Amino acid sequence: MFSSIATHFTPDCKRVGMTQSYVIIGDGIAGSSAAETLREEAPDADVTVITDEGEALYNRILIKEFAKGKLPEAPISIHDESWYDDREIELKLNTLVTNIDADGHTVSTHDGETLAYDKLLIATGGTPTQLPVENSDADGIHHFWTFQDARSIREHIESADSATIVGAGLLGIDLAAICGAQEVEGNYLMRGDSWWRYALDQEGAEIMHDAMRERGVTPVFQSGVDFFETDDTGHVTTTVDPNGERFDSDFVGIAIGLDFNLELLQSIDIETDDGVVVDKHMETSADDIYAAGDLTRFYDVILGEHAQNGSWGSAKEQGTIAAKNMIESESEGFRWVSSYSITHFDFPFLSFGHPTIGDDSISKKYSETEWRRLALKDGKIVGGVLIGDLAPQSGYKQLMREETYVGDQKETLLNEEFSAEDIAAAQEQ
Ligand SMILES: Cc1cc2nc3c(=O)[nH]c(=O)nc-3n(C[C@H](O)[C@H](O)[C@H](O)COP(=O)(O)OP(=O)(O)OC[C@H]3O[C@@H](n4cnc5c(N)ncnc54)[C@H](O)[C@@H]3O)c2cc1C
């Protein structure tokens, strides 16, 4: 077995041609895909992955299916510990990195260990945001990010009488779907007058609201949380919204966003902006430190500006690209159109790119369960949402990837059977 001394080389080793030492903080998909790429492309390097979780990489996307009761635990795991052993990647589970010494090129862990690195990857993702209200940490109130969270949610929801969900975004709807699948009726409190109001218009959102209602979850608009009430044991009993409306339930699920795990960076000179700022090579402003995954504010070459993206595919690709640049500086740029799909209802749902930004948008409803919206910036597609029929997604993504000007083709873009050739044909006329 390789031992932890493998990672204790001094940073000077690179100057004398010795083994390079790569340390990765976080074993989510970003950190893990970086480790895999490092091993493939730098076979002799020392690679260490440190995670504060007690289990190696698992499929975060699938933990909702586990919580719904539709999947057992086993298929959710992606890597067991032997995966790392087989590749001579040192995996440190249950290990919290508590400090980075950027000048000394070392990281320290909660158990007093110090590891030296030549190149460091920060892939620490985020932690669900807590509501800053009374009793927000009461028993029975759940946040949703880790497999452990999913286990607690499943255990509770299976015996819950009723539920309240807070947070009108992609994770909030997962919580609503979990209640529906477990046949627990609930209220879904939203601040505005529709679900994911920055990406969908009212017509699109109505399709989602109807689907929630069909599952026994009632959307409640212009609502939110003022405070929670608890019983004598400290268990949540009631959610009181800012209008004074009371929603009794013994289960509460909250998904109001992520706080990026940036505490480690506070002691070092590194550019942050509600995320770690990286260039297209995933390199931060600090020497030999890279970042990948949800917590980056990356330079999106398609958009022409810095952006953020919380999706599995994007985090995976960022990890891969970071690793390549850790081996050979500025060797590969990140260029990616992300996708995020929801499979809870009788119709498919997909968002891609950056559906909440842009300076223009077009949308159309095709049937009771079919609708589309595209976000445009400077006449180019930068994101969109498709409900019902996902076939046109490849054409839209192609146009986005190729940065094609479509500002004069709005009607064509909304053709029911749209494909990218429709644009080429229209432009030839
Ligand atoms: C319930 C749920 C459903 C989702 N569904 C979808 C979906 O359908 N489609 C999609 O594209 N995306 C989905 N996502 C989002 C997707 O899972 C994330 O974008 C992706 O997993 C982010 O990966 P990451 O590696 O950047 O961060 P993470 O997966 O958050 O990994 C970061 C890791 O770093 C660890 N860590 C943090 N700080 C430290 C420290 N100081 N020391 C050691 N370790 C540390 C954390 O514990 C964590 O294990 C979903 C997410 C959730 C929670």
Side-chain angles (χ1 to χ4, degrees):
M1 261 300 292
F2 46 92
S3 72
S4 63
I5 51 164
T7 57
H8 289 229
F9 290 109
T10 68
D12 291 332
C13 62
K14 64 184 169 213
R15 287 196 279 279
V16 289
M18 288 170 66
T19 312
Q20 283 278 302
S21 175
Y22 298 106
V23 172
I24 297 169
I25 312 176
D27 188 37
I29 186 60
S32 193
S33 66
E36 186 168 7
T37 305
L38 286 168
R39 175 49 71 236
E40 280 167 12
E41 302 203 5
D44 299 326
D46 293 318
V47 181
T48 303
V49 180
I50 310 171
T51 173
D52 60 349
E53 290 197 63
E55 49 211 323
L57 178 70
Y58 54 84
N59 192 326
R60 225 177 263 295
I61 296 181
L62 287 184
I63 58 176
K64 55 194 157 200
E65 299 305 320
F66 172 81
K68 279 176 171 176
K70 303 237 156 137
L71 261 189
E73 291 217 3
I76 293 167
S77 168
I78 296 179
H79 294 158
D80 59 17
E81 289 178 49
S82 65
W83 185 91
Y84 301 81
D85 288 349
D86 293 348
R87 287 161 183 77
E88 299 203 351
I89 294 170
E90 188 172 1
L91 173 69
K92 288 180 177 294
L93 295 174
N94 294 309
T95 306
L96 180 72
V97 175
T98 49
N99 191 49
I100 299 170
D101 175 352
D103 294 333
H105 278 56
T106 61
V107 301
S108 316
T109 65
H110 76 282
D111 51 4
E113 194 178 1
T114 300
L115 297 94
Y117 65 82
D118 291 311
K119 300 277 168 67
L120 175 68
L121 180 69
I122 318 276
T124 50
T127 304
T129 307
Q130 287 230 349
L131 276 168
V133 302
E134 196 183 333
N135 292 326
S136 65
D137 57 353
D139 285 350
I141 299 184
H142 298 267
H143 295 85
F144 197 17
W145 195 256
T146 65
F147 207 161
Q148 262 320 104
D149 295 336
R151 291 184 183 106
S152 315
I153 288 171
R154 177 164 166 172
E155 196 186 333
H156 184 181
I157 198 75
E158 280 174 350
S159 61
D161 293 327
S162 57
T164 306
I165 307 301
V166 184
L170 292 165
L171 286 189
I173 205 164
D174 286 346
L175 287 165
I178 289 165
C179 298
Q182 297 279 5
E183 298 183 2
V184 176
E185 288 190 2
N187 288 298
Y188 188 173
L189 313 189
M190 309 184 194
R191 275 210 299 217
D193 53 13
S194 59
W195 180 74
W196 207 17
R197 61 195 150 128
Y198 302 110
L200 278 68
D201 64 12
Q202 196 66 36
E203 270 190 326
E206 267 312 319
I207 297 175
M208 306 304 284
H209 301 159
D210 286 343
M212 292 169 204
R213 290 184 190 105
E214 264 174 39
R215 297 277 185 286
V217 176
T218 307
V220 181
F221 307 113
Q222 305 296 345
S223 181
V225 182
D226 205 15
F227 59 93
F228 296 103
E229 289 178 357
T230 61
D231 62 17
D232 294 345
T233 67
H235 195 104
V236 69
T237 54
T238 309
T239 305
V240 182
D241 86 356
N243 311 312
E245 293 284 325
R246 301 171 61 79
F247 301 91
D248 293 338
S249 70
D250 55 340
F251 177 101
V252 175
I254 299 181
I256 55 164
L258 268 193
D259 291 334
F260 299 113
N261 294 324
L262 301 171
E263 307 81 18
L264 275 177
L265 307 181
Q266 278 165 6
S267 58
I268 57 180
D269 188 13
I270 191 168
E271 190 183 353
T272 60
D273 176 14
D274 189 28
V276 193
V277 177
V278 292
D279 61 15
K280 66 176 180 182
H281 304 111
M282 313 318 295
E283 193 164 359
T284 72
S285 62
D287 284 350
D288 299 325
I289 302 184
Y290 293 72
D294 280 7
L295 89 167
T296 63
R297 181 169 286 281
F298 61 94
Y299 186 74
D300 187 322
V301 292
I302 298 175
L303 211 54
E305 60 183 275
H306 277 86
Q308 265 168 324
N309 193 287
S311 72
W312 183 267
S314 170
K316 183 168 195 263
E317 179 71 2
Q318 288 192 18
T320 302
I321 297 293
K324 291 185 175 178
N325 291 310
M326 289 164 81
I327 296 168
E328 191 184 342
S329 182
E330 301 193 359
S331 57
E332 208 162 315
F334 176 68
R335 189 182 172 83
W336 188 254
V337 176
S338 67
S339 300
Y340 194 119
S341 54
I342 292 177
T343 52
H344 299 308
F345 305 115
D346 298 336
F347 49 81
F349 173 104
L350 175 117
S351 78
F352 70 92
H354 303 280
T356 60
I357 65 173
D359 50 32
D360 195 8
S361 70
I362 51 174
S363 62
K364 188 167 175 179
K365 185 172 176 184
Y366 301 86
S367 76
E368 287 315 300
T369 54
E370 279 177 64
W371 169 93
R372 247 175 259 168
R373 177 178 176 275
L374 296 173
L376 307 173
K377 182 188 166 202
D378 300 330
K380 297 173 188 169
I381 297 175
V382 291
V385 177
L386 287 77
I387 299 179
D389 177 11
L390 306 190
Q393 65 163 308
S394 56
Y396 295 144
K397 286 188 195 161
Q398 181 187 332
L399 293 170
M400 178 171 164
R401 217 175 288 118
E402 292 171 355
E403 300 178 52
T404 308
Y405 180 80
V406 290
D408 54 354
Q409 300 294 330
K410 292 180 183 171
E411 220 170 291
T412 310
L413 284 169
L414 292 174
N415 281 350
E416 190 157 7
E417 312 280 329
F418 177 79
S419 83
E421 282 91 66
D422 295 353
I423 293 293
Q427 283 173 341
E428 274 165 22
Q429 281 168 15

